[in-house]
Each structure stands twice: as C-alpha cells, then as structure tokens.
Amino acid sequence: RLRIWMNEPNGLCFFDGEYHVYYQYNPLGAQWGNISWGHAVSRDLVSWQELPVAIQATERVMAFSGSVVIDHDNRGGFAPVGAALPAMVAFFTGFDPVTKIQSQHLAYSLDRGRSFTAYAGNPVIDIGSTEFRDPKVLWHAPTSRWVMLVVAALRQVLWIYMSGNLKEWTKVSTFGPAGSAANNIWEVPELFELPVHAG
C-alpha cells in the first residue's frame, strides 16, 4: 500500500445518517505537499470507510483546513430547485504555493459530500496574508446569519465574519491576542455555546 501524508481532521459533520471526517491529505506520497482533502464516513463512529479525495489540490490552490456546513435553507443557492437533499458547503484555506498567500475558499457538494465543486467566485475572503487560515463556519440562529472564524495565526488574533448567503462576508469583530504566550501560533479556531448553571 502506498504510504501517504495525512493530518489535521476537519470538516466534521453529520448528514443523512453519516458522520463525515475530512482531513489534510497528500494522495501522492508520504511527504507534505499537494495538500487535498481526504474523506471518510461512518454510521456509528467506530467503523470508517475511506472514500476518494473530496477536494483535490491544483497547481495554484492547496486545500488547507476548514469546516463543512449543511445549507438546509439553500441560502447559498447551490442546490437546484426541488433537490431532495441540501448542499454540503465546505470552507477551506486555499494556499497558493507560489505566492504563499492564504485565502478562504468554498466548495459545495450535491452528492452527500463525495465530490465538491469549487465556487466560481473564490476566494470569498482574501486579505493578502500568508498567515490567515482555518475557517470555521457555523449558523447563528438569533441573527439568522452564518458566522466564520478565521485566525491571523502569528498575530494571535481571531477575525469574525458574518454572511447571509455563504458567499459574501463582512468582518464584524476581532478577538485577541489575549492570555497567549508570545511565540504561540493560533490555528483551527472553534466556537460553541455552553450552558452555565449557577451553583
């Protein structure tokens, strides 16, 4: 069996009876490079089936880490009218191996995450930085908006964006640096709500 590079699971989601895990993957060998998104699915979180590469690297865009959402209300308009299932929408950092720029891209799947089509308007966010990565996208019900977290890794700052359609993003806030050692690199942000129970 060919030895391959794989790391950094991301794009974790549950859809249509399956758990999905995507991960950084070089299908051509065991060394870093040609970074694409590998893919595996499970129905019980114990047994996993490896599937073909979900997002393939190109000469100008490697697919670094990100996240996947299910666009149930078709706010992005990627699913055709009358489609039986909603689109799965993947957000990832597109790394240009020539310029080293990291920008945020999206791709959508209409076949339960087996294959993805790159959005023609990519990148959806590009600030011209070589240290701007790992988009985490989530739905914020109180404002009926999508939220994206992206890190300026070496600056130790989290940038927060909002969107109504998954394609056009507006920066609304930042967080950091706070309580972090000077040489830390911030990567792969996460945000979730925790209930607080008064004692």
Side-chain angles (χ1 to χ4, degrees):
R1 181 180 168 114
L2 175 68
R3 301 179 87 186
I4 51 86
W5 173 285
M6 59 188 298
N7 75 315
E8 213 157 287
N10 63 91
L12 306 170
C13 62
F14 180 78
F15 178 56
D16 195 33
E18 292 181 317
Y19 296 95
H20 295 259
V21 60
Y22 298 90
Y23 47 91
Q24 290 191 100
Y25 178 57
N26 179 1
L28 302 181
Q31 302 302 313
W32 185 93
N34 189 50
I35 299 300
S36 307
W37 269 25
H39 184 202
V41 295
S42 173
R43 292 192 174 274
D44 60 9
L45 292 176
V46 176
S47 300
W48 291 86
Q49 176 190 4
E50 284 187 64
L51 296 176
V53 172
I55 300 175
Q56 178 65 59
T58 68
E59 287 186 6
R60 291 303 297 266
V61 180
M62 290 191 203
F64 283 9
S65 293
S67 56
V68 173
V69 297
I70 314 304
D71 189 11
H72 290 287
D73 296 323
N74 203 26
R75 292 174 184 267
F78 297 115
V81 175
L85 291 173
M88 294 177 69
V89 185
F91 291 85
F92 62 93
T93 295
F95 171 73
D96 185 328
V98 175
T99 66
K100 312 302 183 191
I101 294 296
Q102 298 179 1
S103 56
Q104 311 321 310
H105 292 236
L106 77 80
Y108 60 92
S109 173
L110 301 176
D111 61 1
R112 298 168 55 239
R114 269 56 180 177
S115 63
F116 284 83
T117 300
Y119 172 51
N122 279 333
V124 292
I125 304 175
D126 184 359
I127 64 168
S129 173
T130 59
E131 54 139 340
F132 187 61
R133 56 184 174 267
D134 304 337
K136 170 65 178 183
V137 175
L138 55 104
W139 175 250
H140 186 244
T143 57
S144 295
R145 290 287 185 273
W146 295 98
V147 176
M148 181 191 292
L149 315 174
V150 192
V151 288
L154 301 181
R155 286 186 266 171
Q156 303 174 3
V157 177
L158 173 73
W159 290 31
I160 303 170
Y161 291 82
M162 297 189 84
S163 173
N165 63 10
L166 294 170
K167 303 170 185 174
E168 298 160 329
W169 294 88
T170 302
K171 182 181 173 187
V172 295
S173 185
T174 62
F175 171 82
S180 183
N183 295 325
N184 276 357
I185 297 174
W186 283 18
E187 295 184 307
V188 196
E190 184 62 85
L191 179 68
F192 51 90
E193 186 175 357
L194 288 175
V196 176
H197 299 284

